[in-house]
Amino acid sequence: MFLDLVFVAALALISQKLAADLTLAGAFETLVLMAAVWWVWSITALTTDLYLPHRPPIYLMTVSVMFGTMLMAVALPAAFTRDAMVFAGAYVAIHLGRSLILVPALRSQQARRHAGRFLFWFSVSAVPWLAGAAMAGPARGALWMAALTLDYGAAWLRYPTPWLGRVPRSQYGLAAEHLAERYQQFFTLALGDLILVTSLTYAGNGFTLDQTIAFTVAFATTVLLWRIYVQRAGALLQSSIESSRDPGRLVRSAPYTHLIMVAGVAVTSAGAEAVIHHPTGNSGPGLIGVVLGGPALFMAGRARFEYEVFSRVSPSRLVALLVLAAAAPALVLAHGPPLGAAIIATLVLAGIATADIVRAHGRPPEPPSPAF
């Protein structure tokens, strides 16, 4: 929990950056920054679950990651301009420093091999990260996206490394015990970012009726996101891991589905901030895209998450995505107010939450699918 606290500031700055630049370029930059911050947390969470966190080397590694994450957070607002080297340098230093601390400190040969795989692949991705920081314009974004592709792709392939091979599937199972708790905890912190940003925005804009309604809608959205996340799949993730024939598969896939959901919360936060600032007036495509796209992004990740746990997707998830997709062009053409878009998104989430409650009370508890 102490480690996760430093990511609250990073998430808040990411959502604020998007709210200040509702363009395709702003969305792309936010995606890159979000993916980088998330990967720092995800790899650190996996590492602390694989080893004993109270051992001095692990404790030193955790504190170092916290400081590096704070540097990344500070550099976030200008990461694509003047602070590019600070952001990229901190990211590279976190991942390489983690392995450089662990490789000589770990006694188990298997554990050292695992840390060595991390060291190899993050050394490879460090090249485009630092090269991108030294470049300007579109080249920076292209190189950073290539670096992220290396980081995420190597993890998906279980870090195939010369002379060390891939990470054994059984080793991922060692981290499964606390997986559900860690991801639920981080998702709750992401919702805390939504509460923080909306509260600060509301406090700084007065207490007009329109802004009070926008703030109330943002709070309702926060509650609904939490309710939809924990309903069944979120609550049963731990038992699904325990009953799975391949718990490591959930360990490997959870970072990707939760990235989509956490990104959805961050986008929702940016939309809520923009709506509270200007609840009335015409909405541009960027603002409508953020207000409706945040919940849609969350629902896409949540649907995939549900499939991982139950090997099926509730029809309400798909209907919600279709409604949000249809509402976006309609609101743009009608020049609807931002507050109207926010209310539509909240009503869609309320419909999903209601359908979940009705379905849960209408049949006996369903055990997680053993498909994994």
Side-chain angles (χ1 to χ4, degrees):
M1 184 66 177
F2 185 51
L3 166 68
D4 296 351
L5 288 176
V6 299
F7 290 89
V8 174
L11 290 174
L13 289 168
I14 287 173
S15 60
Q16 288 180 341
K17 176 177 173 58
L18 178 60
D21 186 8
L22 298 177
T23 64
L24 289 177
F28 173 78
E29 292 178 5
T30 302
L31 170 64
V32 171
L33 299 176
M34 180 73 217
V37 169
W38 172 255
W39 207 236
V40 169
W41 180 85
S42 180
I43 297 299
T44 305
L46 175 63
T47 303
T48 53
D49 280 350
L50 285 173
Y51 312 119
L52 297 176
H54 62 270
R55 292 186 57 192
I58 308 301
Y59 179 79
L60 175 62
M61 179 271 295
T62 303
V63 173
S64 301
V65 169
M66 291 177 66
F67 182 73
T69 304
M70 291 178 65
L71 288 177
M72 290 178 63
V74 171
L76 268 168
F80 274 83
T81 53
R82 70 175 188 274
D83 295 333
M85 190 58 73
V86 176
F87 182 85
Y91 179 90
V92 170
I94 287 171
H95 289 300
L96 294 184
R98 180 195 300 114
S99 298
L100 290 174
I101 291 173
L102 294 178
V103 169
L106 297 173
R107 297 181 180 178
S108 167
Q109 183 178 3
Q110 184 180 27
R112 294 180 67 180
R113 287 166 65 91
H114 189 54
R117 296 183 186 97
F118 279 176
L119 180 60
F120 174 82
W121 278 103
F122 283 117
S123 297
V124 173
S125 70
V127 176
W129 271 114
L130 297 179
M135 302 291 286
R140 175 173 296 159
L143 285 168
W144 282 2
M145 182 58 73
L148 286 169
T149 301
L150 281 171
D151 289 336
Y152 280 74
W156 184 254
L157 296 174
R158 294 187 287 122
Y159 294 101
T161 306
W163 302 290
L164 298 178
R166 300 174 186 259
V167 177
R169 296 181 185 273
S170 59
Q171 194 165 2
Y172 285 100
L174 299 175
E177 181 179 356
H178 304 292
L179 175 70
E181 179 184 354
R182 294 300 303 273
Y183 280 101
Q184 289 176 13
Q185 178 177 290
F186 193 91
F187 185 81
T188 302
L189 286 175
L191 293 178
D193 158 56
L194 178 54
I195 293 173
L196 174 65
V197 170
T198 54
S199 298
L200 292 176
T201 305
Y202 182 51
N205 283 272
F207 296 90
T208 66
L209 178 59
D210 290 340
Q211 289 171 330
T212 300
I213 295 174
F215 176 73
T216 304
V217 169
F219 175 75
T221 299
T222 304
V223 175
L224 291 168
L225 290 173
W226 171 80
R227 186 72 183 95
I228 294 169
Y229 174 81
V230 301
Q231 178 67 26
R232 298 190 64 74
L236 296 178
L237 177 58
Q238 182 62 43
S239 58
S240 177
I241 292 173
E242 293 172 351
S243 63
S244 171
R245 291 192 296 268
D246 183 13
R249 182 175 179 180
L250 273 176
V251 175
R252 297 194 305 275
S253 62
Y256 303 93
T257 54
H258 280 76
L259 168 62
I260 299 173
M261 287 188 284
V262 171
V265 174
V267 175
T268 301
S269 177
E273 180 181 356
V275 171
I276 294 174
H277 271 303
H278 303 289
T280 58
N282 295 335
S283 300
L287 181 53
I288 293 297
V290 169
V291 173
L292 298 183
L297 197 57
F298 165 77
M299 285 310 310
R302 181 59 176 76
R304 175 59 191 175
F305 182 41
E306 180 179 350
Y307 182 79
E308 290 175 349
V309 176
F310 295 122
S311 293
R312 62 166 176 77
V313 177
S314 301
S316 61
R317 305 327 188 213
L318 303 179
V319 171
L321 289 172
L322 290 175
V323 171
L324 291 171
L331 286 169
V332 172
L333 292 175
H335 302 289
L339 181 56
I343 292 174
I344 290 175
T346 303
L347 290 176
V348 170
L349 292 175
I352 297 171
T354 302
D356 286 348
I357 293 173
V358 171
R359 186 169 59 250
H361 287 282
R363 62 188 181 191
E366 177 182 351
S369 170
F372 295 106

